[in-house]
Amino acid sequence: LLLIFQALVLCQVYPQSYDKNSTEVKFSSLLSLINQYYMDSTDLPKLTETAIKSMLKELDPHSVYIPKNDVEKTNEQLAGSFDGIGITYQVFHDSLLVIAVTAGGPSEKAGILSGDRIVTIDGEPASGKKLDENFIYAHLRGKKGTKVTVGIKRYGIAGIQDYTITRDKIPTNTVVAAYMLDEKTGYIRLTRFASPSTHEFTDAMKKLEEQGMENLIFDLRGNSGGYMNVAIDIANEFLPDNKMIVYTKGLRSPVQEYKSNGSGSFKQGRLVVLIDEGSASASEIVSGAVQDWDRALIIGRRSYGKGLVQKPYYLPDGSMVRLTTARYYTPSGRCIQRPYDEGAEKYYKEMNRRIKHGELINADSIRFPDSLKFATPAGRVVYGGGGIMPDIFLAVDSSYQTNYFNELVRKGIINEFCMSYIDRNRSFLKKTYPDGDSFLNNFIVDEKLIADLIALAEKKDLKKDEKQLEKSTHYLAYYIKSQIARSLYDVQVSQQAMNVIDPVVLRAEEVIKSGIEFKRLSMQ
């Protein structure tokens, strides 16, 4: 326990000017006193972890402690791959439903199909209340080369069939959609900045350029960030040589500058970046860089506002501390980190404050102090200290928002309806719509399908509201189509189905086609 605490101190690069008797010796003495004299038995490892978490809370909201058991899961999110069987699944009616199998992955090789239900794992029942994420993770994940036997119940086939699957590396894609919106405009959506993201992004760009892409809509909405070096690599794709992308500095971290090298593949052409209140960290590095150099128009809503750099440090027991070591700054000198001096609790309630103040529906509700005002080479005003403010603000789309629609989603009724519909009609759907394009062009959510959904909702004690349903019906139809597309094909087809009516994407297309805003900023 003392080694764990001392590691926090000894790993520092620079000497500290403080009295050790009032810090590490004091802490060590307290642990020793508790261990020797406290009246009841104690869990010293737990006390130590609590102390570490409390210390980090005193620093900033993004310095965090990760217990040993959670390190692997946390790293997987950014590593871009994990060891497993290669399925997308969902817990449906207390059973494990296979939504999709990874192409070329272990499950596909073993013969698992979309729509299969996994009812046993290594002979153990996989159903009921115990079927949660921890159970699934513990039973299906495992080291590459190890085997797992699953019992499959397949629609139309009596009994349970056993399949033995050899686990392998499973890639997790971060570019979930890359396609042409029209003959000249491409669309790419990136969900996080993980290890393989640069390669995925450049591959997507190459594919779209081969299809004639001259303009790009780059969707970073909801992208909470990831590796800073990946953000730098992707920003580099848009900028000419020797342009500052980002620089970092901290009390014990010398200034480090990161500039473009001129090797990017999309240094010309109209570029629009989409952001919202969920776009953070690495997303803000990219959008800040292209905004500061007048390379792109930013459309959407004000981003999250995280301008701090974390580095991982392992502790002796295998746990990890992600410690904030520096702030990062956009090329104009903006630090977009929003204030956190009033405590972590208020910091994490920022979205509630934005909603209360009307910031998601009215740009005039957003206030930036003049002291944080900066200017780009083209003369447009940008601000630091609270995220990236878009050039074109678009409010949250509330045209379809009703309590009735929200309850359909919240109670999982739409999801259950779509899963059951696919389960009953999978063969017909696959035969009629053999690929995503044929589905997008020809599948229609008609009145009968919506009526069947409403009937299911009433069985689930959600009473039909005619007025609210009328307001939501248009969006609901596309939402159902998107959910079916996701299970039948992949995330890209699902995204395409929703982009057809997405006001932010439609506005971006309009801006690119008109070119007026680009000319006004002397960018193209």
Side-chain angles (χ1 to χ4, degrees):
L1 291 173
L2 299 183
L3 285 173
I4 292 173
F5 176 77
Q6 289 167 357
L8 286 171
V9 179
L10 297 176
C11 283
Q12 297 178 77
V13 177
Y14 296 90
Q16 303 293 299
S17 55
Y18 59 78
D19 181 3
K20 288 188 176 183
N21 287 326
S22 66
T23 53
E24 61 259 41
V25 174
K26 182 177 181 179
F27 185 79
S28 301
S29 297
L30 175 59
L31 284 178
S32 180
L33 287 170
I34 292 171
N35 189 40
Q36 293 183 56
Y37 301 117
Y38 187 66
M39 63 177 180
D40 293 323
S41 61
T42 56
D43 187 342
L44 285 182
K46 184 178 180 180
L47 284 175
T48 302
E49 290 199 353
T50 300
I52 292 173
K53 292 174 184 177
S54 297
M55 281 190 286
L56 294 175
K57 283 181 180 178
E58 293 295 313
L59 302 179
D60 67 87
H62 297 290
S63 290
V64 295
Y65 169 76
I66 303 170
K68 179 181 178 180
N69 293 338
D70 294 334
V71 168
E72 184 178 353
K73 292 181 186 178
T74 304
N75 287 340
E76 278 179 1
Q77 298 174 12
L78 295 174
S81 67
F82 61 89
D83 293 354
I85 66 170
I87 62 169
T88 301
Y89 63 85
Q90 183 173 324
V91 176
F92 181 63
H93 287 166
D94 289 331
S95 65
L96 191 59
L97 176 65
V98 178
I99 302 298
V101 293
T102 303
S107 289
E108 184 184 67
K109 292 175 181 176
I112 306 299
L113 301 176
S114 299
D116 285 348
R117 280 183 169 82
I118 298 176
V119 295
T120 63
I121 304 175
D122 286 331
E124 182 180 349
S127 60
K129 293 182 178 180
K130 70 176 181 180
L131 193 62
D132 58 17
E133 288 297 322
N134 291 330
F135 177 88
I136 296 167
Y137 186 95
H139 287 74
L140 295 184
R141 295 284 183 94
K143 294 297 182 183
K144 176 181 177 180
T146 59
K147 297 180 185 297
V148 59
T149 299
V150 296
I152 295 293
K153 182 71 179 70
R154 183 167 295 166
Y155 185 78
I157 298 178
I160 297 173
Q161 299 173 303
D162 284 339
Y163 290 80
T164 299
I165 306 169
T166 302
R167 297 181 179 98
D168 203 345
K169 286 289 181 186
I170 309 299
T172 54
N173 295 329
T174 58
V175 172
V176 296
Y179 68 98
M180 295 296 290
L181 288 162
D182 57 38
E183 292 182 354
K184 294 184 177 180
T185 303
Y187 170 91
I188 295 177
R189 183 183 179 195
L190 183 73
T191 57
R192 62 189 183 282
F193 291 80
S195 295
S197 297
T198 301
H199 180 69
E200 289 180 36
F201 182 78
T202 54
D203 279 355
M205 290 289 289
K206 183 179 179 181
K207 180 184 77 171
L208 297 182
E209 286 166 350
E210 289 172 351
Q211 296 177 47
M213 181 179 71
E214 296 178 8
N215 313 303
L216 174 65
I217 297 173
F218 187 26
D219 196 343
L220 293 176
R221 291 176 295 175
N223 185 322
S224 60
Y227 289 129
M228 187 174 76
N229 65 300
V230 176
I232 293 166
D233 289 342
I234 290 177
N236 183 69
E237 292 296 309
F238 304 128
L239 297 172
D241 188 29
N242 201 37
K243 295 294 186 181
M244 181 77 73
I245 294 173
V246 67
Y247 65 93
T248 65
K249 63 179 179 180
L251 180 63
R252 297 170 185 85
S253 299
V255 174
Q256 289 188 298
E257 298 180 345
Y258 302 90
K259 297 183 178 181
S260 58
N261 60 21
S263 66
S265 64
F266 196 71
K267 299 189 291 292
Q268 300 293 325
R270 292 172 184 171
L271 173 64
V272 170
V273 179
L274 309 183
I275 62 171
D276 64 11
E277 57 280 357
S279 307
S281 191
S283 293
E284 294 169 309
I285 288 176
V286 173
S287 53
V290 294
Q291 186 180 51
D292 279 7
W293 287 116
D294 298 308
R295 175 64 190 92
L297 282 166
I298 312 298
I299 296 180
R301 294 183 295 279
R302 182 162 66 110
S303 64
Y304 184 85
K306 179 183 179 295
L308 305 176
V309 180
Q310 283 76 44
K311 288 187 178 180
Y313 295 93
Y314 281 91
L315 300 179
D317 68 338
S319 60
M320 177 193 289
V321 170
R322 283 188 173 168
L323 191 66
T324 299
T325 58
R327 291 178 174 84
Y328 71 73
Y329 299 81
T330 70
S332 65
R334 291 186 285 167
C335 179
I336 54 83
Q337 175 62 47
R338 55 189 171 86
Y340 53 85
D341 51 351
E342 294 187 34
E345 183 176 353
K346 188 169 184 178
Y347 178 83
Y348 284 116
K349 290 183 177 179
E350 167 72 3
M351 291 307 110
N352 292 336
R353 188 194 66 78
R354 292 190 190 187
I355 293 170
K356 183 179 179 180
H357 285 216
E359 292 189 20
L360 303 188
I361 58 175
N362 190 346
D364 293 337
S365 300
I366 303 170
R367 296 285 184 267
F368 290 100
D370 288 342
S371 60
L372 298 176
K373 183 186 292 186
F374 298 82
T376 70
R380 66 176 154 172
V381 175
V382 292
Y383 290 90
I388 301 294
M389 186 67 188
D391 302 296
I392 299 174
F393 176 88
L394 292 181
V396 170
D397 181 16
S398 59
S399 62
Y400 65 90
Q401 290 282 0
T402 63
N403 289 334
Y404 184 72
F405 174 81
N406 291 336
E407 286 298 286
L408 286 172
V409 175
R410 187 184 70 83
K411 292 185 175 181
I413 295 171
I414 296 177
N415 180 67
E416 180 177 341
F417 174 78
C418 292
M419 291 299 100
S420 296
Y421 176 79
I422 293 170
D423 209 24
R424 296 191 309 270
N425 301 282
R426 187 178 298 274
S427 297
F428 168 79
L429 290 168
K430 281 292 189 179
K431 183 178 179 179
T432 309
Y433 312 105
D435 54 44
D437 286 339
S438 62
F439 179 85
L440 291 167
N441 294 329
N442 300 299
F443 183 85
I444 297 173
V445 176
D446 56 21
E447 291 181 1
K448 182 182 182 306
L449 210 57
I450 291 180
D452 290 343
L453 169 66
I454 303 310
L456 175 64
E458 291 183 331
K459 288 181 181 179
K460 300 285 184 180
D461 297 324
L462 179 60
K463 188 177 179 181
K464 181 180 178 181
D465 187 309
E466 287 282 2
K467 188 174 181 180
Q468 292 188 20
L469 178 60
E470 183 180 353
K471 181 179 180 180
S472 300
T473 295
H474 181 68
Y475 183 89
L476 177 60
Y478 280 91
Y479 188 84
I480 292 170
K481 183 174 181 176
S482 172
Q483 294 303 300
I484 294 173
R486 186 184 185 100
S487 296
L488 274 181
Y489 306 100
D490 54 33
V491 178
Q492 173 164 303
V493 182
S494 176
Q495 184 77 55
Q496 286 179 260
M498 291 307 298
N499 279 354
V500 173
I501 59 167
D502 187 327
V504 181
V505 175
L506 295 175
R507 181 73 171 102
E509 289 185 84
E510 179 186 311
V511 165
I512 285 175
K513 288 176 181 177
S514 73
I516 295 172
E517 286 84 355
F518 288 94
K519 292 177 182 177
R520 187 179 296 130
L521 292 171
S522 302
M523 287 190 280
Q524 302 295 334

